[in-house]
Amino acid sequence: MTVEARIKSLQKKLNQYNYEYHVLDQPTIEDSEYDALLRELIELEQQHPEFKTDDSPTVRVGGVVLDKFEKVKHDTPMLSLGNAFNEEDLRAFDHRITQAVGSVQYMCELKIDGLAVSLKYEDGKFIQGLTRGDGTTGENITENLKTIHNIRLSIEEPLSFEVRGEAFMSKDVFKSLNESRESEGLDTFKNPRNSAAGSLRQLDSRLASKRKLDIFLYSVNDLTEINASTQHEALSRLDTLKFKTNQERSLKDNIEGVLDYIKYWTEHRHDLRYEIDGIVIKVNDLEQQQQLGFTEKSPRWAIAYKFPAEEVETYLHDVELSI
Ligand SMILES: CC(C)(C)c1nc(N2CCN(c3ncccn3)CC2)c2cc(C(N)=O)c(N)nc2n1
């Protein structure tokens, strides 16, 4: 096999292993075997840089050091969400909607407690990643986002659109990061959200790569590009394009179903391997979304139900401090 053929086959194999491990959560080879193949590919690409591609799995290890993050305007502004804190707020949200557009289905999604980011694809290639920033302008953190293994560096269709999602750090990664920081005498991070934010703000993408960040994607800015007519179809389309979406989502026929879903996750949220701070409820049908429209900064067809703050955690924290 020629060197070029070996490099191409390693790139293909490692990208497939990445997808199985980080998107499907179903690895088919041992980590040690993956690492050995990756080391071989890094070496071959260093000897033959003409065969290195910008969607090679070696991109994941980072290595670009910036002196600052450039500010970039979002093509499509990233909106914010209205909040609901109790059943009354949710019923008022439902009443306003059904009065305006009649009966609707709701897509319920776990509200991942991370950092909203926007990924831009052009002809199927990941070309730019931005933080949400103030919704209008974000920071260019493309090199750091490339180190998140389940972010597709290229997709199998030459699509051009922006995919939005929440980058986060899992509870286990957060715990071991704080343990190693403690042993190095560094100050620890307060919660996974803060450590994800700190990781994405690293100017050296090699450091960002070590933080093992993760991401769930939840919306596309140009739905005609993926010809979806509901949020349910949009998420399924992201799945077929091998993006990582959250599989705990559920389609409900009315507000009662939404209340059941919220009740369930209020009780089971701590069984998850990542933190959530609520539930996002969206009108499923895109035409009904259009009819409902937007306020000046958030959609009228979506709301974020926020879990009540947990006294137990703060109480224990205070007790620890007072000892
Ligand atoms: C596309 C819309 C606007 C409906 C939307 N917006 C979201 N967010 C907006 C406010 N965001 C925000 N962030 C910081 C400051 C102000 N707003 C943070 C993202 C969503 C966040 C999540 C999630 N976290 O899991 C989700 N499953 N779906 C979302 N959907």
Side-chain angles (χ1 to χ4, degrees):
M1 181 188 277
T2 66
V3 165
E4 179 179 5
R6 178 67 183 153
I7 287 179
K8 292 271 173 267
S9 89
L10 280 171
Q11 287 168 342
K12 197 165 173 330
K13 255 199 291 199
L14 286 163
N15 274 331
Q16 177 56 23
Y17 291 146
N18 245 333
Y19 172 64
E20 290 162 358
Y21 185 102
H22 290 280
V23 178
L24 300 182
D25 292 334
Q26 295 153 5
T28 54
I29 61 164
E30 292 301 315
D31 292 9
S32 53
E33 193 188 339
Y34 178 89
D35 294 343
L37 290 172
L38 185 63
R39 261 197 307 281
E40 182 190 348
L41 181 56
I42 290 172
E43 225 167 274
L44 286 175
E45 286 184 351
Q46 270 160 359
Q47 290 158 9
H48 306 274
E50 68 276 20
F51 300 132
K52 182 173 165 76
T53 58
D54 55 9
D55 62 350
S56 165
T58 55
V59 161
R60 305 289 182 190
V61 297
V64 174
V65 185
L66 302 171
D67 55 7
K68 65 172 177 42
F69 292 111
E70 64 165 324
K71 291 218 180 296
V72 178
K73 210 161 156 22
H74 290 289
D75 293 354
T76 315
M78 288 182 75
L79 302 168
S80 52
L81 280 171
N83 288 327
F85 297 96
N86 51 47
E87 180 171 336
E88 189 190 342
D89 294 345
L90 290 163
R91 289 190 182 282
F93 170 70
D94 175 52
H95 183 67
R96 175 164 56 74
I97 282 174
T98 47
Q99 288 290 82
V101 298
S103 71
V104 297
Q105 279 189 314
Y106 290 113
M107 174 59 88
C108 298
E109 299 171 17
L110 300 185
K111 188 169 182 300
I112 311 302
D113 192 6
L115 222 52
V117 294
S118 180
L119 312 176
K120 185 172 190 172
Y121 288 81
E122 215 150 75
D123 297 332
K125 286 255 182 277
F126 174 50
I127 59 161
Q128 179 183 273
L130 303 177
T131 62
R132 180 181 180 283
D134 61 7
T136 306
T137 306
E139 288 178 322
N140 187 338
I141 54 166
T142 307
E143 294 311 321
N144 286 344
L145 289 171
K146 281 180 178 175
T147 70
I148 298 184
H149 284 259
N150 50 32
I151 282 188
R152 307 287 307 166
L153 297 171
S154 61
I155 53 180
E156 281 145 16
E157 293 177 39
L159 299 173
S160 301
F161 53 35
E162 285 184 0
V163 194
R164 273 83 196 268
E166 203 84 2
F168 66 94
M169 184 180 280
S170 71
K171 293 174 186 170
D172 290 350
V173 169
F174 169 69
K175 189 165 167 289
S176 55
L177 171 67
N178 265 353
E179 280 163 4
S180 60
R181 287 180 71 89
E182 206 136 15
S183 63
E184 289 157 28
L186 296 169
D187 53 354
T188 55
F189 285 104
K190 182 166 164 284
N191 55 46
R193 192 206 166 286
N194 285 10
S195 52
S199 305
L200 282 175
R201 301 186 54 76
Q202 289 294 329
L203 288 164
D204 177 353
S205 59
R206 194 177 289 274
L207 292 179
S209 169
K210 288 190 170 46
R211 296 293 176 81
K212 301 194 186 72
L213 292 178
D214 210 328
I215 192 165
F216 285 122
L217 295 147
Y218 53 69
S219 94
V220 177
N221 73 330
D222 176 359
L223 290 154
T224 53
E225 187 73 350
I226 57 167
N227 50 55
S229 61
T230 64
Q231 173 67 359
H232 180 74
E233 281 172 18
L235 292 171
S236 305
R237 192 82 173 85
L238 286 177
D239 286 338
T240 48
L241 289 168
K242 297 186 177 175
F243 283 103
K244 179 118 182 203
T245 65
N246 190 281
Q247 299 303 317
E248 305 299 347
R249 61 182 180 266
S250 180
L251 196 54
K252 300 295 181 189
D253 290 334
N254 52 45
I255 196 67
E256 299 309 327
V258 171
L259 293 168
D260 291 344
Y261 183 86
I262 287 175
K263 189 164 174 294
Y264 178 86
W265 286 107
T266 302
E267 204 180 310
H268 292 85
R269 64 195 276 219
H270 298 297
D271 308 341
L272 292 162
R273 65 177 180 81
Y274 45 84
E275 287 193 348
I276 62 172
D277 61 346
I279 304 291
V280 184
I281 300 120
K282 307 173 182 180
V283 168
N284 187 44
D285 183 89
L286 298 185
E287 251 171 54
Q288 290 177 316
Q289 288 184 10
Q290 299 303 332
Q291 287 165 8
L292 289 159
F294 303 83
T295 66
E296 102 278 359
K297 63 181 177 43
S298 54
R300 285 202 180 88
W301 42 266
I303 199 158
Y305 168 77
K306 307 283 281 190
F307 291 129
E310 298 202 296
E311 291 71 32
V312 173
E313 268 170 1
T314 42
Y315 171 72
L316 284 179
H317 187 71
D318 297 345
V319 165
E320 267 162 33
L321 289 176
S322 65
I323 287 167

